[in-house]
Amino acid sequence: MGLMQWLKGGKQEEEKTAYPEINMEEKEQEIKDLQHSLESDTEPDTRVEKLNQLGAVLFQTGKVSEAIEVWEESVGFYEKPGYPHGKLMEAYTKKQTNAWKTGDDEASEYYAAKIDGLMKTNKDSIRYNN
């Protein structure tokens, strides 16, 4: 079987999650607590920390689109590439791969453009903020 066929789902292996032993009830409560805390937090340093935590928990629980929204907000607090930039790249790649596997060319192209844009932003940020 070729690589392309395998990537498109030709090989039916059980997918292993990165976090196989998570307690979903605890994670859902953690999400609610972080969201509630963010409603009143306007201090940039603590807000960005909570956004990054929330994004990580959302990603762990399979809520990739929600994690992307949170990390996109977090990116605005950074002058140079940091934690949310790497996590966004991971999330965009996951969404693009899933779109490609299901044959959703429009979504695949959308996330490819998001990846390209983030890479350009990161390079520009490093280049001009040294």
Side-chain angles (χ1 to χ4, degrees):
M1 174 184 316
L3 176 62
M4 298 304 277
Q5 183 181 3
W6 182 82
L7 287 172
K8 285 200 172 197
K11 189 173 183 180
Q12 299 298 322
E13 288 187 11
E14 183 178 326
E15 264 189 49
K16 295 178 182 166
T17 59
Y19 306 96
E21 304 270 336
I22 64 170
N23 181 321
M24 289 300 284
E25 284 183 28
E26 286 179 9
K27 294 299 178 182
E28 290 297 332
Q29 187 58 51
E30 188 175 352
I31 290 168
K32 288 177 186 173
D33 292 345
L34 284 165
Q35 288 171 331
H36 178 71
S37 178
L38 280 165
E39 289 173 6
S40 60
D41 194 346
T42 58
E43 180 62 36
D45 290 340
T46 57
R47 184 165 180 79
V48 73
E49 184 178 319
K50 289 175 186 175
L51 286 168
N52 289 336
Q53 289 173 345
L54 178 58
V57 178
L58 289 165
F59 192 81
Q60 286 175 350
T61 58
K63 298 176 181 180
V64 180
S65 295
E66 291 177 50
I68 287 172
E69 289 179 29
V70 170
W71 285 324
E72 285 177 341
E73 180 180 346
S74 179
V75 163
F77 289 91
Y78 288 79
E79 290 181 23
K80 293 184 179 180
Y83 174 83
H85 298 80
K87 298 310 287 183
L88 268 175
M89 188 68 69
E90 182 180 354
Y92 289 157
T93 301
K94 183 177 184 84
K95 294 291 275 187
Q96 182 193 26
T97 301
N98 289 341
W100 185 71
K101 283 181 179 180
T102 61
D104 186 346
D105 293 338
E106 188 175 328
S108 182
E109 289 177 22
Y110 172 80
Y111 285 106
K114 295 291 266 184
I115 291 167
D116 289 345
L118 184 60
M119 288 175 64
K120 181 184 181 327
T121 300
N122 289 348
K123 287 177 186 176
D124 290 349
S125 176
I126 292 168
R127 186 177 299 127
Y128 300 118
N129 285 321
N130 282 329

